[in-house]
Amino acid sequence: MTRPHATALLAAALASFVLAPTAAAQADSQIKIGLIGPFTGGSADFGNSMRNGVELAVSEINALGGYVGRKFELVVRDDKANPELARQMSEELVKEGVLATIGFCNSGNAVKSLDIYQKARVPLIVPCATSTPITSTIPAAESYIFRTSARDSLQVPFVVNEVVRRGWTRVAVLADSTGYGNAGLEDFTKALAAHKLKPAHVGRFDIGVKDMTDAVKAARDSNAQVLFTITVGPENAVIARAREALGWKVAQVGPWGLTFPTYIDAAKSAAEGTLMAMTFVAEPSNERRATFLSNYRRHHKTDRIAVPIAAAQAYDSTYLLAHALMSIKDRSKLDGPAIKHALENNDRPYYGVVATYKNAFSSTDHDAMTENMLYLGTVRNGVVTFANPDDAKRNLIVQRKVSAAPPATTVR
């Protein structure tokens, strides 16, 4: 059965409101939404894909009338993948009076800024950053932090399970020294321990490294059968090129940072056969995805989405926020606590691009993604696609969230 597209669903939601602006709406005709991410610098391909997804959704929502005649206005801040700058930019967004913020690609940036949104009671929806502590640091009942990306405590065990299924029990890991690398390494060690295994080798490195020959040699000399990497695109490429130069013919595997063009384009032949966790692949596998891909390319005048997962998850995040706003009956109380409550209690399905979201969040769970939404991807002829035929078939049916226990709260 064909499901209605997001714009049609939002139009139906809007129809249930009196479209004449209220006095408050006349006084403030726009809904300010923060958007923060790395729009310049080494993570820009990631950040601009996220930004483009948000901007596409906002253009569609505004074309339908916005929120009761009030258009969405994006207040954009570039954090340049710098945690200290991210915190400064977050403070600026709060001072600008944004009702909610969508953002963060770099986990360290998100973690550095969480308390800014929490103290201001401004909901933050994270469409890209995946470090587990982002949504586990603050108890969900109190938290204003929500996420639509698959946290690393889902992605990492998913890939580790596949590694073990293939008979690779000696696994080396290289993780960067950022907050993302630290938390991801912890998730990786736990995932291996669940199979009663320990890493064959653990290597750490700083972001910006240009030569990983010695680190890769050490991993190779541990007789590892596979190399698990926890870092972003450019550093993944440095690792892959060193691995190829050393003639070490093992698979490089890890979270979905291995889908970035800064990895695939820079690593070239060394990226072939890479395996990673994914939530979305840029193929028109159904009507929703075909429409999204077509609209994205037309709106942004491009034939290529640099990081499709970032764009799709950010697009869905924007619509989830819009649907939450539409469910707030008392329009005179449009504030952070009301939006938080709406996000946690909206049981109307939103038929998104990545997933079908029904009760995407609750007062005990602020992660929209569950393990059934993950697929195993691979790089084939320079393009990310499905590693397993069964996943390609399963992708034809958009997945729904399944009940799962939220991650344990981390006291920090």
Side-chain angles (χ1 to χ4, degrees):
M1 181 173 66
T2 301
R3 296 291 188 184
H5 187 253
T7 50
L9 286 168
L10 190 62
L14 284 165
S16 67
F17 288 84
V18 178
L19 292 181
T22 63
Q26 291 171 343
D28 182 3
S29 61
Q30 294 178 315
I31 300 285
K32 288 185 178 181
I33 304 298
L35 174 61
I36 185 168
F39 307 128
T40 58
S43 295
D45 56 348
F46 195 11
N48 284 313
S49 295
M50 177 187 73
R51 179 176 181 167
N52 288 347
V54 172
E55 288 180 346
L56 173 60
V58 165
S59 72
E60 293 173 352
I61 292 164
N62 284 344
L64 292 169
Y67 175 79
V68 198
R70 299 173 66 183
K71 300 295 181 70
F72 280 20
E73 175 192 3
L74 290 175
V75 183
V76 181
R77 291 293 184 272
D78 182 1
D79 66 24
K80 304 181 189 293
N82 181 299
E84 293 298 333
L85 182 60
R87 185 174 179 86
Q88 178 187 329
M89 296 295 100
S90 293
E91 289 173 340
E92 288 186 9
L93 288 173
V94 168
K95 288 178 182 177
E96 283 277 344
V98 298
L99 276 178
T101 291
I102 298 170
F104 293 114
C105 293
N106 305 92
S107 292
N109 287 23
V111 171
K112 187 75 174 179
S113 300
L114 295 183
D115 67 304
I116 301 295
Y117 299 96
Q118 187 67 20
K119 289 177 182 177
R121 301 199 298 177
V122 172
L124 169 68
I125 302 179
V126 181
C128 296
T130 59
S131 179
T132 300
I134 290 171
T135 46
S136 66
T137 299
I138 304 165
E142 305 166 14
S143 179
Y144 281 77
I145 313 303
F146 299 81
R147 174 161 50 189
T148 56
S149 57
R151 65 184 186 271
D152 287 334
S153 59
L154 287 179
Q155 289 194 69
V156 171
F158 177 82
V159 177
V160 167
N161 290 344
E162 177 66 21
V163 163
V164 174
R165 187 188 70 79
R166 293 181 179 219
W168 299 331
T169 56
R170 292 192 58 79
V171 189
V173 59
L174 296 177
D176 68 38
S177 58
T178 67
Y180 170 62
N182 293 337
L185 180 58
E186 183 177 340
D187 289 327
F188 170 79
T189 304
K190 288 178 180 177
L192 271 187
H195 293 279
K196 298 181 179 179
L197 297 172
K198 293 182 179 181
H201 171 79
V202 177
R204 306 302 304 273
F205 59 92
D206 293 331
I207 288 291
V209 66
K210 302 301 182 184
D211 185 355
M212 290 287 289
T213 302
D214 290 343
V216 174
K217 272 183 182 177
R220 181 196 63 184
D221 292 347
S222 71
N223 294 318
Q225 299 161 300
V226 63
L227 179 60
F228 200 108
T229 58
I230 306 171
T231 189
V232 290
E235 286 70 24
N236 269 319
V238 173
I239 292 168
R241 290 196 299 267
R243 180 173 48 77
E244 184 177 60
L246 291 168
W248 190 27
K249 296 181 179 180
V250 298
Q252 188 165 330
V253 305
W256 61 283
L258 289 164
T259 68
F260 295 5
T262 47
Y263 168 62
I264 296 170
D265 294 350
K268 296 186 169 61
S269 59
E272 288 294 304
T274 298
L275 300 172
M276 75 291 288
M278 302 191 314
T279 59
F280 176 81
V281 64
E283 295 177 3
S285 54
N286 57 45
E287 183 180 355
R288 288 186 233 171
R289 290 168 182 153
T291 301
F292 166 73
L293 293 170
S294 175
N295 289 347
Y296 183 102
R297 288 163 180 151
R298 181 172 61 253
H299 185 82
H300 294 293
K301 297 179 174 59
T302 181
D303 291 329
R304 184 188 187 191
I305 306 177
V307 184
I309 297 174
Q313 289 175 173
Y315 178 87
D316 280 355
S317 297
T318 311
Y319 269 102
L320 282 170
L321 175 59
H323 276 259
L325 290 174
M326 298 305 167
S327 73
I328 299 174
K329 295 180 180 179
D330 187 349
R331 284 171 278 160
S332 67
K333 294 183 178 178
L334 195 63
D335 58 14
I339 296 169
K340 168 179 159 64
H341 182 269
L343 286 167
E344 293 174 341
N345 294 278
N346 193 352
D347 62 358
R348 290 186 60 186
Y350 159 56
Y351 300 103
V353 173
V354 176
T356 292
Y357 305 88
K358 188 176 188 295
N359 300 117
F361 308 111
S362 72
S363 61
T364 60
D365 182 6
H366 282 195
D367 279 287
M369 305 300 290
T370 47
E371 186 179 357
N372 63 302
M373 299 174 183
L374 295 178
Y375 304 93
L376 187 71
T378 190
V379 178
R380 192 174 296 142
N381 298 320
V383 176
V384 177
T385 187
F386 296 100
N388 298 325
D390 287 347
D391 276 354
K393 292 178 183 177
R394 186 164 61 90
N395 179 63
L396 297 174
I397 301 172
V398 180
Q399 301 298 306
R400 288 174 176 260
K401 183 172 184 176
V402 298
S403 297
T409 299
T410 303
V411 179
R412 291 178 181 268

PDB file of all heavy atoms in Angstrom, residues 270-293:
ATOM      1  N   ALA A 270      41.650   1.920  -2.365  1.00  0.00           N
ATOM      2  CA  ALA A 270      41.797   1.377  -1.013  1.00  0.00           C
ATOM      3  C   ALA A 270      40.467   1.311  -0.276  1.00  0.00           C
ATOM      4  O   ALA A 270      40.346   0.600   0.724  1.00  0.00           O
ATOM      5  CB  ALA A 270      42.781   2.225  -0.212  1.00  0.00           C
ATOM      6  N   ALA A 271      39.455   2.042  -0.775  1.00  0.00           N
ATOM      7  CA  ALA A 271      38.138   2.026  -0.129  1.00  0.00           C
ATOM      8  C   ALA A 271      37.277   0.855  -0.571  1.00  0.00           C
ATOM      9  O   ALA A 271      36.282   0.526   0.088  1.00  0.00           O
ATOM     10  CB  ALA A 271      37.406   3.338  -0.424  1.00  0.00           C
ATOM     11  N   GLU A 272      37.642   0.223  -1.681  1.00  0.00           N
ATOM     12  CA  GLU A 272      36.824  -0.877  -2.205  1.00  0.00           C
ATOM     13  C   GLU A 272      36.686  -2.006  -1.178  1.00  0.00           C
ATOM     14  O   GLU A 272      37.660  -2.429  -0.571  1.00  0.00           O
ATOM     15  CB  GLU A 272      37.427  -1.434  -3.492  1.00  0.00           C
ATOM     16  CG  GLU A 272      37.284  -0.515  -4.690  1.00  0.00           C
ATOM     17  CD  GLU A 272      35.838  -0.333  -5.112  1.00  0.00           C
ATOM     18  OE1 GLU A 272      35.153  -1.339  -5.383  1.00  0.00           O
ATOM     19  OE2 GLU A 272      35.376   0.821  -5.161  1.00  0.00           O
ATOM     20  N   GLY A 273      35.448  -2.463  -1.003  1.00  0.00           N
ATOM     21  CA  GLY A 273      35.187  -3.560  -0.085  1.00  0.00           C
ATOM     22  C   GLY A 273      34.986  -3.148   1.358  1.00  0.00           C
ATOM     23  O   GLY A 273      34.709  -3.991   2.222  1.00  0.00           O
ATOM     24  N   THR A 274      35.103  -1.841   1.646  1.00  0.00           N
ATOM     25  CA  THR A 274      34.850  -1.354   3.003  1.00  0.00           C
ATOM     26  C   THR A 274      33.430  -1.729   3.427  1.00  0.00           C
ATOM     27  O   THR A 274      32.503  -1.696   2.614  1.00  0.00           O
ATOM     28  CB  THR A 274      35.021   0.175   3.056  1.00  0.00           C
ATOM     29  OG1 THR A 274      36.369   0.501   2.728  1.00  0.00           O
ATOM     30  CG2 THR A 274      34.692   0.722   4.425  1.00  0.00           C
ATOM     31  N   LEU A 275      33.266  -2.052   4.704  1.00  0.00           N
ATOM     32  CA  LEU A 275      31.947  -2.402   5.247  1.00  0.00           C
ATOM     33  C   LEU A 275      31.578  -1.411   6.345  1.00  0.00           C
ATOM     34  O   LEU A 275      32.420  -1.056   7.169  1.00  0.00           O
ATOM     35  CB  LEU A 275      31.950  -3.817   5.825  1.00  0.00           C
ATOM     36  CG  LEU A 275      32.280  -4.956   4.854  1.00  0.00           C
ATOM     37  CD1 LEU A 275      32.430  -6.276   5.612  1.00  0.00           C
ATOM     38  CD2 LEU A 275      31.194  -5.084   3.786  1.00  0.00           C
ATOM     39  N   MET A 276      30.305  -0.993   6.368  1.00  0.00           N
ATOM     40  CA  MET A 276      29.883  -0.019   7.376  1.00  0.00           C
ATOM     41  C   MET A 276      28.391  -0.158   7.687  1.00  0.00           C
ATOM     42  O   MET A 276      27.625  -0.709   6.893  1.00  0.00           O
ATOM     43  CB  MET A 276      30.184   1.403   6.920  1.00  0.00           C
ATOM     44  CG  MET A 276      29.267   1.966   5.851  1.00  0.00           C
ATOM     45  SD  MET A 276      29.419   1.220   4.197  1.00  0.00           S
ATOM     46  CE  MET A 276      31.014   1.879   3.679  1.00  0.00           C
ATOM     47  N   ALA A 277      27.999   0.367   8.841  1.00  0.00           N
ATOM     48  CA  ALA A 277      26.589   0.446   9.200  1.00  0.00           C
ATOM     49  C   ALA A 277      25.958   1.641   8.493  1.00  0.00           C
ATOM     50  O   ALA A 277      26.581   2.690   8.360  1.00  0.00           O
ATOM     51  CB  ALA A 277      26.439   0.593  10.709  1.00  0.00           C
ATOM     52  N   MET A 278      24.714   1.476   8.038  1.00  0.00           N
ATOM     53  CA  MET A 278      24.005   2.548   7.339  1.00  0.00           C
ATOM     54  C   MET A 278      22.541   2.547   7.757  1.00  0.00           C
ATOM     55  O   MET A 278      22.004   1.525   8.168  1.00  0.00           O
ATOM     56  CB  MET A 278      24.047   2.352   5.826  1.00  0.00           C
ATOM     57  CG  MET A 278      25.397   2.268   5.189  1.00  0.00           C
ATOM     58  SD  MET A 278      25.245   2.359   3.382  1.00  0.00           S
ATOM     59  CE  MET A 278      23.905   1.216   3.061  1.00  0.00           C
ATOM     60  N   THR A 279      21.902   3.712   7.596  1.00  0.00           N
ATOM     61  CA  THR A 279      20.452   3.793   7.756  1.00  0.00           C
ATOM     62  C   THR A 279      19.766   4.157   6.444  1.00  0.00           C
ATOM     63  O   THR A 279      18.548   4.033   6.325  1.00  0.00           O
ATOM     64  CB  THR A 279      20.069   4.861   8.791  1.00  0.00           C
ATOM     65  OG1 THR A 279      20.578   6.140   8.361  1.00  0.00           O
ATOM     66  CG2 THR A 279      20.634   4.520  10.166  1.00  0.00           C
ATOM     67  N   PHE A 280      20.549   4.618   5.454  1.00  0.00           N
ATOM     68  CA  PHE A 280      19.951   5.113   4.214  1.00  0.00           C
ATOM     69  C   PHE A 280      20.963   5.001   3.092  1.00  0.00           C
ATOM     70  O   PHE A 280      22.151   5.284   3.303  1.00  0.00           O
ATOM     71  CB  PHE A 280      19.530   6.586   4.388  1.00  0.00           C
ATOM     72  CG  PHE A 280      18.983   7.237   3.152  1.00  0.00           C
ATOM     73  CD1 PHE A 280      17.664   7.029   2.769  1.00  0.00           C
ATOM     74  CD2 PHE A 280      19.781   8.066   2.373  1.00  0.00           C
ATOM     75  CE1 PHE A 280      17.154   7.632   1.626  1.00  0.00           C
ATOM     76  CE2 PHE A 280      19.278   8.678   1.230  1.00  0.00           C
ATOM     77  CZ  PHE A 280      17.965   8.460   0.861  1.00  0.00           C
ATOM     78  N   VAL A 281      20.504   4.584   1.926  1.00  0.00           N
ATOM     79  CA  VAL A 281      21.343   4.581   0.740  1.00  0.00           C
ATOM     80  C   VAL A 281      20.603   5.358  -0.344  1.00  0.00           C
ATOM     81  O   VAL A 281      19.366   5.283  -0.435  1.00  0.00           O
ATOM     82  CB  VAL A 281      21.671   3.140   0.282  1.00  0.00           C
ATOM     83  CG1 VAL A 281      20.428   2.394  -0.148  1.00  0.00           C
ATOM     84  CG2 VAL A 281      22.708   3.145  -0.834  1.00  0.00           C
ATOM     85  N   ALA A 282      21.318   6.134  -1.116  1.00  0.00           N
ATOM     86  CA  ALA A 282      20.698   7.046  -2.086  1.00  0.00           C
ATOM     87  C   ALA A 282      20.237   6.307  -3.335  1.00  0.00           C
ATOM     88  O   ALA A 282      20.741   6.517  -4.440  1.00  0.00           O
ATOM     89  CB  ALA A 282      21.662   8.169  -2.449  1.00  0.00           C
ATOM     90  N   GLU A 283      19.257   5.444  -3.149  1.00  0.00           N
ATOM     91  CA  GLU A 283      18.644   4.712  -4.261  1.00  0.00           C
ATOM     92  C   GLU A 283      17.134   4.887  -4.168  1.00  0.00           C
ATOM     93  O   GLU A 283      16.571   4.848  -3.061  1.00  0.00           O
ATOM     94  CB  GLU A 283      19.017   3.228  -4.197  1.00  0.00           C
ATOM     95  CG  GLU A 283      20.498   2.963  -4.385  1.00  0.00           C
ATOM     96  CD  GLU A 283      20.857   1.487  -4.251  1.00  0.00           C
ATOM     97  OE1 GLU A 283      19.945   0.655  -4.060  1.00  0.00           O
ATOM     98  OE2 GLU A 283      22.062   1.170  -4.326  1.00  0.00           O
ATOM     99  N   PRO A 284      16.437   5.077  -5.291  1.00  0.00           N
ATOM    100  CA  PRO A 284      14.984   5.303  -5.266  1.00  0.00           C
ATOM    101  C   PRO A 284      14.213   3.999  -5.049  1.00  0.00           C
ATOM    102  O   PRO A 284      13.453   3.547  -5.903  1.00  0.00           O
ATOM    103  CB  PRO A 284      14.714   5.913  -6.644  1.00  0.00           C
ATOM    104  CG  PRO A 284      15.765   5.326  -7.515  1.00  0.00           C
ATOM    105  CD  PRO A 284      16.992   5.185  -6.651  1.00  0.00           C
ATOM    106  N   SER A 285      14.385   3.408  -3.873  1.00  0.00           N
ATOM    107  CA  SER A 285      13.827   2.082  -3.606  1.00  0.00           C
ATOM    108  C   SER A 285      12.324   2.103  -3.356  1.00  0.00           C
ATOM    109  O   SER A 285      11.690   1.057  -3.367  1.00  0.00           O
ATOM    110  CB  SER A 285      14.543   1.456  -2.404  1.00  0.00           C
ATOM    111  OG  SER A 285      14.502   2.322  -1.284  1.00  0.00           O
ATOM    112  N   ASN A 286      11.773   3.289  -3.080  1.00  0.00           N
ATOM    113  CA  ASN A 286      10.319   3.404  -2.942  1.00  0.00           C
ATOM    114  C   ASN A 286       9.928   4.844  -3.258  1.00  0.00           C
ATOM    115  O   ASN A 286      10.782   5.702  -3.522  1.00  0.00           O
ATOM    116  CB  ASN A 286       9.858   2.986  -1.536  1.00  0.00           C
ATOM    117  CG  ASN A 286      10.528   3.795  -0.441  1.00  0.00           C
ATOM    118  OD1 ASN A 286      10.643   5.007  -0.531  1.00  0.00           O
ATOM    119  ND2 ASN A 286      11.009   3.109   0.588  1.00  0.00           N
ATOM    120  N   GLU A 287       8.631   5.114  -3.228  1.00  0.00           N
ATOM    121  CA  GLU A 287       8.136   6.422  -3.650  1.00  0.00           C
ATOM    122  C   GLU A 287       8.681   7.553  -2.781  1.00  0.00           C
ATOM    123  O   GLU A 287       9.056   8.613  -3.287  1.00  0.00           O
ATOM    124  CB  GLU A 287       6.610   6.434  -3.609  1.00  0.00           C
ATOM    125  CG  GLU A 287       5.987   7.730  -4.108  1.00  0.00           C
ATOM    126  CD  GLU A 287       4.474   7.695  -4.041  1.00  0.00           C
ATOM    127  OE1 GLU A 287       3.907   6.633  -3.703  1.00  0.00           O
ATOM    128  OE2 GLU A 287       3.860   8.742  -4.321  1.00  0.00           O
ATOM    129  N   ARG A 288       8.735   7.328  -1.471  1.00  0.00           N
ATOM    130  CA  ARG A 288       9.206   8.377  -0.568  1.00  0.00           C
ATOM    131  C   ARG A 288      10.643   8.767  -0.886  1.00  0.00           C
ATOM    132  O   ARG A 288      10.992   9.944  -0.976  1.00  0.00           O
ATOM    133  CB  ARG A 288       9.159   7.894   0.882  1.00  0.00           C
ATOM    134  CG  ARG A 288       7.797   7.759   1.469  1.00  0.00           C
ATOM    135  CD  ARG A 288       7.940   7.410   2.948  1.00  0.00           C
ATOM    136  NE  ARG A 288       7.177   6.223   3.275  1.00  0.00           N
ATOM    137  CZ  ARG A 288       7.252   5.592   4.429  1.00  0.00           C
ATOM    138  NH1 ARG A 288       8.084   6.020   5.350  1.00  0.00           N
ATOM    139  NH2 ARG A 288       6.522   4.528   4.664  1.00  0.00           N
ATOM    140  N   ARG A 289      11.484   7.763  -1.036  1.00  0.00           N
ATOM    141  CA  ARG A 289      12.903   8.039  -1.264  1.00  0.00           C
ATOM    142  C   ARG A 289      13.138   8.625  -2.655  1.00  0.00           C
ATOM    143  O   ARG A 289      13.976   9.507  -2.835  1.00  0.00           O
ATOM    144  CB  ARG A 289      13.707   6.765  -1.043  1.00  0.00           C
ATOM    145  CG  ARG A 289      13.731   6.382   0.432  1.00  0.00           C
ATOM    146  CD  ARG A 289      14.247   5.001   0.691  1.00  0.00           C
ATOM    147  NE  ARG A 289      14.189   4.694   2.118  1.00  0.00           N
ATOM    148  CZ  ARG A 289      14.069   3.487   2.616  1.00  0.00           C
ATOM    149  NH1 ARG A 289      13.996   2.437   1.815  1.00  0.00           N
ATOM    150  NH2 ARG A 289      14.017   3.295   3.914  1.00  0.00           N
ATOM    151  N   ALA A 290      12.396   8.124  -3.628  1.00  0.00           N
ATOM    152  CA  ALA A 290      12.536   8.664  -4.981  1.00  0.00           C
ATOM    153  C   ALA A 290      12.149  10.140  -5.006  1.00  0.00           C
ATOM    154  O   ALA A 290      12.832  10.968  -5.637  1.00  0.00           O
ATOM    155  CB  ALA A 290      11.666   7.872  -5.952  1.00  0.00           C
ATOM    156  N   THR A 291      11.076  10.495  -4.297  1.00  0.00           N
ATOM    157  CA  THR A 291      10.629  11.887  -4.244  1.00  0.00           C
ATOM    158  C   THR A 291      11.655  12.755  -3.535  1.00  0.00           C
ATOM    159  O   THR A 291      11.983  13.860  -3.989  1.00  0.00           O
ATOM    160  CB  THR A 291       9.272  11.984  -3.532  1.00  0.00           C
ATOM    161  OG1 THR A 291       8.312  11.201  -4.230  1.00  0.00           O
ATOM    162  CG2 THR A 291       8.789  13.430  -3.470  1.00  0.00           C
ATOM    163  N   PHE A 292      12.175  12.274  -2.408  1.00  0.00           N
ATOM    164  CA  PHE A 292      13.189  13.024  -1.667  1.00  0.00           C
ATOM    165  C   PHE A 292      14.422  13.278  -2.527  1.00  0.00           C
ATOM    166  O   PHE A 292      14.915  14.407  -2.607  1.00  0.00           O
ATOM    167  CB  PHE A 292      13.578  12.262  -0.399  1.00  0.00           C
ATOM    168  CG  PHE A 292      14.837  12.772   0.254  1.00  0.00           C
ATOM    169  CD1 PHE A 292      14.838  13.972   0.933  1.00  0.00           C
ATOM    170  CD2 PHE A 292      16.027  12.051   0.176  1.00  0.00           C
ATOM    171  CE1 PHE A 292      16.006  14.457   1.533  1.00  0.00           C
ATOM    172  CE2 PHE A 292      17.190  12.520   0.766  1.00  0.00           C
ATOM    173  CZ  PHE A 292      17.180  13.736   1.443  1.00  0.00           C
ATOM    174  N   LEU A 293      14.925  12.238  -3.181  1.00  0.00           N
ATOM    175  CA  LEU A 293      16.129  12.384  -3.990  1.00  0.00           C
ATOM    176  C   LEU A 293      15.905  13.355  -5.148  1.00  0.00           C
ATOM    177  O   LEU A 293      16.752  14.196  -5.449  1.00  0.00           O
ATOM    178  CB  LEU A 293      16.567  11.013  -4.518  1.00  0.00           C
ATOM    179  CG  LEU A 293      17.065  10.022  -3.456  1.00  0.00           C
ATOM    180  CD1 LEU A 293      17.231   8.631  -4.064  1.00  0.00           C
ATOM    181  CD2 LEU A 293      18.376  10.496  -2.844  1.00  0.00           C
TER     182      LEU A 293
END
